[in-house]
Amino acid sequence: MFTTRICCCSATVASQIAAVIAILLNVAVACSNWFSDPPLPLFINIYQSVLVGLVIIACVLVFVACCSLQPSLILPIIVIQVWSILSLIGTGIWVLIELWYAVLVWEIILYIVIYLIAILTSLFVLHCHVCCYKLLLMKRR
């Protein structure tokens, strides 16, 4: 019983920290899109800003889910995190296509590395949320 409590506590804390990391990551991507040179189309910037707002709302739901032991409240952040990962992949491909002939090779490599780090971080965040969901389900039983 004691070990389960420690595991559940650490998973929920990890999930909450991961939610904050997801917010920071999405804000960084949105800011880089808003101030990119050459500028990206306006709909991508608005889309990224809406995604940041949804991640913030989902972060609040993670906190409520962990405090009230409601695993169903973790599902929105899992869905939004998958959406965020797909969005990062799409935005990364868009940026590479747009910048392929406009910048130097080392800048393209830098963009690829930055987007890979962002995607791997997002996958880790998704893993934390799924673990938290599983532990909250076990705790409810």
Side-chain angles (χ1 to χ4, degrees), residues 29 33 40 44 48 86-96 115:
V29 170
N33 288 343
L40 294 175
I44 291 180
Q48 286 292 335
L86 294 175
S87 174
L88 276 171
I89 293 170
T91 306
I93 291 171
W94 176 277
V95 168
L96 285 177
Y115 275 103

Side-chain angles (χ1 to χ4, degrees), residues 8-27:
C8 187
C9 179
S10 62
T12 54
V13 169
S15 185
Q16 290 171 358
I17 291 170
V20 172
I21 291 171
I23 290 172
L24 296 175
L25 186 65
N26 283 303
V27 166

Side-chain angles (χ1 to χ4, degrees), residues 129-140:
H129 293 317
V130 170
C131 289
C132 180
Y133 177 74
K134 286 181 178 180
L135 287 171
L136 285 176
L137 276 178
M138 287 178 22
K139 191 77 170 171
R140 287 286 309 241

